Amino acid sequence: MSLDLSYYEALMGVAAAGEQPTTATGGVWVVALAGRLDDGLLRLIGKGRVLADALGAYVHLLMAGEAEAADGNRAIQAGADRVWLARGTPALADLVEFFRPRGPQVVLFPFREISRFATRLGRTLGPGLAQALNGSLCARAADLEVDPIYQRVVAHQPVLDDAARQRVALLASPAVAVVDTTLLPAAFNEPWRTGTIEDTGLTWPAPPPSQPLPQFGGGVRGEGRGGGAAPLTLANAAVIVAGGLGLKSAEGFALAARLAQALGAAVGGDMAALDAGWISEDQLIGLAGARSFAKFRERAPRLFLALGMDGDTGLFMSIQDAGLVVAVQPDPSAPIAAVADYNIYADPVEFARVLLGKLQR
Amino acid sequence: MRIVVCVKQTYDPATVKISRSREEFDLRGAVKIMNPADKHALEAALRLREAAGGEVVALTVGDADAEDVGREAIAMGADRALLIAGPELAAATGRAVAKALAAGIGHLAPVDLVLVGQAAAVDGTGGLAPRLAAALGWPVALDVLPSLSPSSSPSPNLGGGVGVGAEVGAVEAVAVVDPGVGEAISLPLPAVVAIVAGAERPRYPQPARIANAWAPGLLAICTASDLGLTAEDLAPDVEVGGLVLPPERTRGQVITGPLDAAVDELWTVLQAQRLIPAAAA
Ligand SMILES: Cc1cc2nc3c(=O)[nH]c(=O)nc-3n(C[C@H](O)[C@H](O)[C@H](O)COP(=O)(O)OP(=O)(O)OC[C@H]3O[C@@H](n4cnc5c(N)ncnc54)[C@H](O)[C@@H]3O)c2cc1C
Ligand SMILES: Nc1ncnc2c1ncn2[C@@H]1O[C@H](COP(=O)(O)O)[C@@H](O)[C@H]1O
């Protein structure tokens, strides 16, 4: 093994990093495009603050849309040093023109903004900006950190439907990341922070009015958070909620189905549930079912929630690849108790009601 | 109209394992397939060709193995395929792949529409479509369902179809906004569109087409330097490190206490395993 000198040089450089930032260019930028500050953006500003402190840089917030000074003050309390206001929604060319002379070190976009119809802005403009400025990109980051040795920004990118996260070091400058803000720690709210609010004087055209189609049908949460309209089945769902006789009645099962909907899960059941008429044949789990060991290959669920099921070999074979098995039923000696990762010995109907209440809050 | 579909060879996610001790993917049993979203993109292109006429070209950047997905695309119905391969692409990251695809599209000019999959299986992020659009200087739409309709000019009215062979100036489509909620969009051409899985299955290759896919002249292979790309263009923009893994599982654990508290505890577990979004708390 040869000695890596760059490592040593980088180590020597670390001491300088903590100093007060001075330059007019560079910096960590957060881009808010929907015109309002939601909690996700405040969390993103906090993440930008943490990165900037490690890099020795300022945190800038570019706020487009109908941003107001009050939003700017809240952003400063959340960790921004400088807030830049603009009107309208920038096209990629506008954003490139804005950023090119400013030479940002890091640019962060939210994966999803407050307004439903702005969800694609960050995911469109972030990667576009990275390409146009010949920078580096993580188009979907769950977290970000600064490598203490090389002083590089490292993104944590979900892989295999977030079963794990891959570290991705962003080498080229600017380092652009589109960040899933729902996964970030809570926002800072520190009244002692100071900062400046500046108007860029820029007015970009208003975005074209969107044309929502609320009932285009068949749409359910599919692969990833990008959405999709492939029907959710036992074979492709990341989460499965399955019910057995322990749910006692059709009403009990309907509650489990509502819980499944709230979790973005597919609904299944065992032979007893089929006999009771609660499920159709393509929802059957077990040796003869749609999700039998032999028939299932498409994808293992990451979470299998068994409500009111004692379990048997057929069930266990069908779910053996599941990431996490949670069983809710009253009997500690039921076969499923030894197979499940987590057991709650309780009435499954009550459980569904409590969890559903918590999800809908 | 000429439609280019970017198809990528990925690992079948059902065959990719994670090695906890090494904190990396275990690819020993992994099987290479055509990225599932790309099959939907190809299906969308084939239907558009049926409606408006023209040609569908599959374009892929990869290693020698990627020839398989080019042949598979031809077997599914693409008119021809272009494979950009070579050792200088072995370490290509997103930035370089976008540049190589843009160069390939330039080589195939004139191109009216480029379809890509929204995200790759295993480790996709959906960054490629906007990157490619930026490299081409074209507009882009994300999260689009595979049913695209051709129209003669950009207009907000859905369904203004055109006949086969007529001038197509725009495509109209539905972008998924939320589960069950869509947005009507109209894109002037040329444009890049990222396709998500739709309700219909992509067609299977016909046996006759499978045999035909190996006929000479259907699949062209070129290198990055043939397309004028330099080593600087292809330099990696990111470096991939190890995996960060959630806590390990143990069977047979029991959560006791009153139901409310038990549900709270389960909630914490599910959050730690990233099975419930933090924002829902
Ligand atoms: C040939 C054959 C093929 C089979 N194929 C399948 C298959 O493809 N898929 C499959 O899932 N199973 C299959 N089975 C197994 C059989 O259907 C299961 O025993 C049954 O599904 C178990 O139901 P359960 O999980 O609800 O557990 P149960 O043992 O029924 O108990 C679950 C809970 O329900 C409650 N409960 C049970 N019975 C009652 C009752 N009568 N009234 C009120 N509450 C009650 C209890 O609280 C219990 O905790 C097969 C069996 C045979 C013989
Ligand atoms: N090497 C490649 N060759 C052709 N198309 C690609 C390649 N990489 C990515 N794509 C396209 O970009 C989409 C998204 O891929 P990714 O950016 O890896 O998530 C894929 O579905 C393909 O359509």
Side-chain angles (χ1 to χ4, degrees):
Chain A
M1 216 177 109
S2 66
L3 182 66
D4 183 357
L5 273 180
S6 64
Y7 182 93
Y8 179 72
E9 281 160 16
L11 201 61
M12 292 292 97
V14 172
E19 287 165 14
Q20 199 60 20
T22 47
T23 49
T25 58
V28 174
W29 286 76
V30 176
V31 183
L33 297 162
R36 290 274 318 287
L37 278 187
D38 65 344
D39 187 55
L41 274 166
L42 293 171
R43 294 176 199 226
L44 189 57
I45 294 168
K47 181 53 73 178
R49 178 78 262 159
V50 172
L51 297 180
D53 287 346
L55 293 167
Y58 286 121
V59 178
H60 303 259
L61 172 70
L62 171 61
M63 232 171 29
E66 316 101 55
E68 291 167 14
D71 283 330
N73 286 326
R74 178 66 190 92
I76 289 167
Q77 289 170 9
D81 296 303
R82 294 191 185 163
V83 179
W84 305 77
L85 302 178
R87 273 149 300 277
T89 303
L92 177 59
D94 302 323
L95 218 50
V96 171
E97 193 183 326
F98 179 84
F99 276 117
R100 203 186 286 281
R102 291 181 165 85
Q105 197 175 353
V106 179
V107 188
L108 306 178
F109 290 81
F111 192 80
R112 194 189 170 89
E113 290 219 36
I114 186 169
S115 139
R116 265 181 168 183
F117 294 95
T119 54
R120 295 189 299 269
L121 272 178
R123 289 194 288 129
T124 307
L125 293 176
L129 185 71
Q131 194 73 18
L133 297 182
N134 213 23
S136 51
L137 170 74
C138 177
R140 181 167 174 206
D143 199 4
L144 295 155
E145 62 185 356
V146 173
D147 175 337
I149 304 303
Y150 294 105
Q151 293 281 295
R152 307 189 293 211
V153 176
V154 178
H156 293 194
Q157 180 196 318
V159 293
L160 287 176
D161 207 24
D162 211 5
R165 288 174 186 168
Q166 180 126 50
R167 287 195 187 86
V168 177
L170 304 175
L171 308 180
S173 180
V176 180
V178 187
V179 187
D180 192 339
T181 58
T182 58
L183 301 166
L184 296 177
F188 298 126
N189 190 1
E190 297 171 326
W192 51 266
R193 286 194 179 275
T194 56
T196 59
I197 302 177
E198 277 155 69
D199 198 324
T200 59
L202 292 168
T203 302
W204 293 311
S210 80
Q211 302 171 57
L213 300 172
Q215 250 95 49
F216 79 100
V220 279
R221 195 183 303 178
E223 299 280 332
R225 287 194 180 77
L232 202 53
T233 65
L234 292 181
N236 68 19
V239 179
I240 293 177
V241 174
L245 274 187
L247 287 168
K248 290 186 213 111
S249 65
E251 289 72 45
F253 193 87
L255 196 66
R258 289 231 307 281
L259 177 63
Q261 199 182 11
L263 287 168
V267 185
D270 54 25
M271 194 64 95
L274 181 67
D275 288 345
W278 300 341
I279 57 168
S280 60
E281 225 156 284
D282 56 354
Q283 292 176 297
L284 182 64
I285 301 170
L287 285 182
R291 198 188 177 84
S292 66
F293 182 64
K295 288 181 194 161
F296 165 70
R297 258 350 282 158
E298 203 172 326
R299 171 193 190 180
R302 294 196 54 221
L303 170 63
F304 187 87
L305 180 55
L307 300 179
M309 303 174 96
D310 277 4
D312 56 13
T313 313
L315 177 71
F316 301 153
M317 284 174 78
S318 311
I319 63 171
Q320 64 174 6
D321 290 335
L324 193 77
V325 177
V326 176
V328 183
Q329 49 85 31
D331 179 8
S333 63
I336 201 167
V339 174
D341 297 273
Y342 290 94
N343 289 282
I344 295 180
Y345 301 131
D347 175 13
V349 178
E350 257 330 286
F351 167 86
R353 190 166 293 135
V354 174
L355 184 54
L356 195 58
K358 205 168 149 63
L359 275 165
Q360 286 169 344
R361 218 180 300 140
Chain B
M1 78 190 288
R2 183 173 291 160
I3 308 168
V4 169
V5 184
C6 298
V7 291
K8 168 178 175 165
Q9 195 170 45
T10 53
Y11 289 106
D12 180 347
T15 64
V16 174
K17 299 208 159 42
I18 288 172
S19 162
R20 275 201 167 258
S21 54
R22 292 165 177 267
E23 297 191 341
E24 57 185 38
F25 290 122
D26 176 356
L27 296 173
R28 284 172 299 181
V31 176
K32 289 180 171 182
I33 57 167
M34 184 192 289
N35 182 35
D38 301 0
K39 290 193 176 170
H40 288 273
L42 186 54
E43 179 65 36
L46 297 175
R47 289 186 184 204
L48 205 51
R49 183 185 63 187
E50 281 152 17
E55 187 190 26
V56 172
V57 187
L59 174 61
T60 183
V61 170
D63 53 15
D65 286 354
E67 185 179 336
D68 288 352
V69 296
R71 302 279 181 202
E72 188 178 348
I74 294 168
M76 278 176 71
D79 297 284
R80 59 196 172 104
L82 174 62
L83 165 63
I84 307 171
E88 67 281 21
L89 284 166
T93 57
R95 183 173 68 182
V97 171
K99 285 181 187 175
L101 288 172
I105 289 161
H107 178 75
L108 293 169
V111 171
D112 301 287
L113 179 63
V114 175
L115 301 186
V116 311
Q118 173 59 39
V122 184
D123 63 350
T125 59
L128 186 108
R131 285 188 120 158
L132 178 59
L136 291 166
W138 295 0
V140 60
L142 306 187
D143 302 335
V144 174
L145 289 174
S147 43
L148 307 172
S149 22
S151 78
S152 48
S153 67
S155 83
N157 309 316
L158 271 184
V162 296
V164 172
E167 186 77 13
V168 180
V171 286
E172 285 167 6
V174 175
V176 179
V177 174
D178 252 345
V181 183
E183 181 183 14
I185 55 169
S186 176
L187 268 188
L189 299 182
V192 178
V193 175
I195 302 285
V196 293
E200 304 92 9
R201 272 191 180 276
R203 67 193 65 184
Y204 292 110
Q206 293 164 5
R209 290 205 65 101
I210 297 176
N212 232 351
W214 271 263
L218 291 178
L219 183 130
I221 302 180
C222 68
T223 65
S225 39
D226 293 343
L227 298 173
L229 293 166
T230 62
E232 199 186 318
D233 287 327
L234 301 175
D237 65 321
V238 296
E239 186 182 292
V240 170
L243 296 177
V244 185
L245 298 166
E248 211 158 350
R249 60 190 295 201
T250 27
R251 290 186 188 280
Q253 296 174 79
V254 180
I255 301 178
T256 51
L259 190 55
D260 263 335
V263 170
D264 281 345
E265 196 179 328
L266 179 65
W267 186 281
T268 315
V269 170
L270 296 184
Q271 251 178 19
Q273 307 258 355
R274 305 156 191 157
L275 291 163
I276 284 185

